[in-house]
Amino acid sequence: MRLLLFIFLEVWLLPVQILAFVLIAVGVKRGAGTGVTVTAGKPHDTRHILHKAGYRPDEAVNQIGPHLPHRGPFVHWALGTVGLALRWSGWDSASLRYPPDRPAPIALFVHRRTWFFDQCLERAIQDGVKQVVILGAGWDVRGWGLLADRGVEVFEVDMPATQAVKKQAVAAGGLPMDAVRFVSTDFMEKTWLEAITEAGFDASLPTFFLLEGLIYYLDDASIEATLRDIAAAAPGSALAFDYLALEVIRGEEPHQKLHEQMVGRMERFAPDEPLLSGISTQGDAKGTMVEWLAGVDLELVEWEPFGSETDPFGGLVFAAVAVEA
């Protein structure tokens, strides 16, 4: 009965939902070359739908959404109807459940990633971190939601063009500007660490670093430099990130089809944000990650694969600054 009600609702709502996605695609094409992120849109849209469905309450997502690029009030409302249809029908679909069941397929990896990082943040706060640094923050609004009034200082780091648009959307949505410390840097004049230090970052305090949907857009040298900087943070510090399999990036077995899908999509909609790096998931993927982190003085706390347990197309990582013996 609930499935039938969901189908009935979608019969009426699907046309406006399709129109919303078309408008996003057209807007992305027209806005190419502005230096403003395109890839931050999907995580935002996912969390907006989850909010409307009642799975992950996040009013800040609802407030900022109408003011983000390629969205606007109509698109924001139309995408939200996907979540409303789930809420009104009460249908519990395995393909739309939150948090998604493991293993998370490619269609739900943003859902699973959101849940995983929320859990990492909760754990870090309980363990006593005093600062949270979100690198490549995009349209993330945890500073106004999950992290609000939690006794932590939040720093959001991003490229100048993206952060300028974010600040405008935050103000237009009525969110308090002082909830986070905005730190923009083009990484040419100064490093992200230099930039947050100038913004008031205290290197003596335990800190949680979040690199969500970031490292596959960085080259290997930049990833290593970033992780080594984090590894030098105060005792009790931790980080979380997601990654894609090197085989996905290179188009090698067993992920050639996924490579074609992802690279093709990026070339069409986000040509300025190419996928650059990955970490092999063949063989013992978890063991590979343990060794990879040890090479930059970090220790694995928790690891979860994307997709199949035997042939994951990437993974989720929660790691800690290594404790000196």
Side-chain angles (χ1 to χ4, degrees), residues 83-107:
L84 290 176
L86 289 168
R87 175 182 285 186
W88 292 337
S89 67
W91 181 44
D92 180 25
S93 165
S95 63
L96 296 171
R97 187 175 298 142
Y98 183 80
D101 298 329
R102 291 181 62 180
I106 184 65

Side-chain angles (χ1 to χ4, degrees), residues 65-89:
H67 311 288
L68 291 174
H70 325 307
R71 298 310 183 269
F74 170 76
V75 170
H76 176 75
W77 168 81
L79 293 181
T81 62
V82 178
L84 290 176
L86 289 168
R87 175 182 285 186
W88 292 337
S89 67

Side-chain angles (χ1 to χ4, degrees), residues 176-242:
M177 297 294 290
D178 59 356
V180 307
R181 297 196 186 191
F182 292 102
V183 183
S184 66
T185 177
D186 60 7
F187 301 96
M188 297 297 288
E189 295 183 1
K190 66 185 67 173
T191 68
W192 65 269
L193 185 54
E194 291 171 334
I196 63 172
T197 299
E198 290 180 5
F201 174 75
D202 187 342
S204 69
L205 297 177
T207 303
F208 182 87
F209 299 86
L210 179 59
L211 292 72
E212 182 172 12
L214 176 64
I215 71 168
Y216 26 84
Y217 300 115
L218 304 177
D219 58 36
D220 291 339
S222 298
I223 294 171
E224 181 175 351
T226 297
L227 295 185
R228 287 194 181 281
D229 283 339
I230 293 173
S237 295
L239 75 151
F241 63 89
D242 59 309

Side-chain angles (χ1 to χ4, degrees), residues 142-144 153-156 166 176-182:
R142 288 186 176 96
W144 294 268
E153 194 74 47
V154 182
F155 297 82
E156 286 198 358
K166 169 79 167 284
M177 297 294 290
D178 59 356
V180 307
R181 297 196 186 191
F182 292 102

Side-chain angles (χ1 to χ4, degrees), residues 49-57 83 87:
I49 292 170
L50 292 174
H51 171 70
K52 288 297 186 181
Y55 296 161
R56 181 183 182 271
R87 175 182 285 186

